[in-house]
Amino acid sequence: APIADAGLPRAGNLGPGGTAGAPIPVTATATDVNLDTVFTYTWTFDQVASGSTLTNASLVGADTATVSFAPDALGPDAANRYLLRVRICDEGPDYTEDTVAVNVYRLVASDTIEEKVVALQERKRHLFDQVVGTASDIAAPLSADDIRGLLDA
């Protein structure tokens, strides 16, 4: 039976403004005690980040040793990340599986409007939590003062 190794946990970034990030490649390796050298690979998502619209059809190279996908949602913690599974089959009926976690982060440049938008979202989320008493990702509408604050240097 082959021995599958999906590799170490990976990290990637969302694109500017929360758009899909650059594709994240993940490569599996296989060895076999019977010295088989021909393997087939099948990659699938076991889990996607909350808010992600990705499906197994979004995986590029899902039938090769190296798969990639462009993340479309944040996944910085264990309950909210991408988890990929690879099934590796040898020349016979034997197969084995392994999983790898992919955490996605959002990098924000300092002294930019995006940084101010993120800070404003955090302030509004904190205010909402104080009033309602629970965490929320609901976007509040921007007031004229909010927009002026974003544009002030």
Side-chain angles (χ1 to χ4, degrees):
I3 299 169
D5 182 1
L8 297 173
R10 309 288 287 202
N13 302 316
L14 276 184
T19 59
I24 300 170
V26 179
T27 300
T29 58
T31 56
D32 193 300
V33 296
N34 299 327
L35 303 178
D36 289 333
T37 57
V38 177
F39 301 102
T40 58
Y41 299 82
T42 305
W43 289 92
T44 56
F45 282 115
D46 266 10
Q47 175 182 320
V48 295
S50 177
S52 174
T53 60
L54 298 183
T55 66
N56 289 336
S58 306
L59 295 170
V60 177
D63 60 349
T64 66
T66 299
V67 69
S68 66
F69 70 97
D72 65 345
L74 295 176
D77 58 42
N80 191 26
R81 66 179 176 198
Y82 296 90
L83 189 61
L84 293 168
R85 175 176 301 277
V86 63
R87 173 182 281 204
I88 301 177
C89 301
D90 64 10
E91 296 175 46
D94 300 324
Y95 71 88
T96 188
E97 297 179 330
D98 195 21
T99 59
V100 62
V102 179
N103 293 312
V104 177
Y105 302 93
R106 181 175 178 188
L107 300 180
V108 179
S110 61
D111 298 326
T112 63
I113 289 177
E114 184 176 21
E115 179 185 40
K116 292 178 182 182
V117 168
V118 170
L120 178 61
Q121 288 172 334
E122 288 300 317
R123 286 194 307 274
K124 288 190 176 245
R125 186 174 294 116
H126 179 70
L127 177 62
F128 183 88
D129 291 347
Q130 287 178 325
V131 173
V132 177
T134 183
S136 174
D137 285 331
I138 298 172
L142 294 176
S143 69
D145 288 338
D146 292 335
I147 294 171
R148 278 191 285 281
L150 294 173
L151 299 175
D152 289 340

